[in-house]
Amino acid sequence: MTGEGEREGEGGPEEDPGPQVSGEAPSRAFSRRMLEALVCPVTGVALSYDAERSELVSRAANLAFPIRSGIPIMLVDEARRIKD
């Protein structure tokens, strides 16, 4: 039973995650919209996506942030140091 003003099975509009970045299975794919919204926590510069390693790369900071189960881990302590 639902309360006044509520309809069974009706929820808020589902947000479209946008196109998925290729290179991973659909359940683990990373949203391009998410990539556009994230910046390096150290430099504030845009990140690039490395699908092969499942990482977000900040060339400015020489860091690669892992993506685990589709969730970017934007902690410097978790980032992998990359060479120039």
Side-chain angles (χ1 to χ4, degrees), residues 46-74:
L47 301 165
S48 61
Y49 177 62
D50 182 342
E52 188 174 300
R53 291 184 179 229
S54 191
E55 296 176 326
L56 294 176
V57 178
S58 171
R59 301 245 179 254
N62 292 322
L63 294 172
F65 299 92
I67 299 171
R68 297 185 187 129
S69 300
I71 301 170
I73 310 300
M74 303 303 294

Side-chain angles (χ1 to χ4, degrees), residues 6-80:
E6 294 179 23
R7 293 186 193 148
E8 196 168 331
E10 185 176 305
E14 291 185 28
E15 187 172 320
D16 178 14
Q20 302 296 308
V21 176
S22 62
E24 292 189 20
S27 64
R28 294 179 153 272
F30 190 68
S31 167
R32 185 169 304 280
R33 188 173 292 167
M34 178 72 75
L35 177 59
E36 292 169 359
L38 291 173
V39 295
C40 174
V42 176
T43 64
V45 175
L47 301 165
S48 61
Y49 177 62
D50 182 342
E52 188 174 300
R53 291 184 179 229
S54 191
E55 296 176 326
L56 294 176
V57 178
S58 171
R59 301 245 179 254
N62 292 322
L63 294 172
F65 299 92
I67 299 171
R68 297 185 187 129
S69 300
I71 301 170
I73 310 300
M74 303 303 294
L75 301 171
V76 175
D77 291 344
E78 294 286 324
R80 180 177 63 84

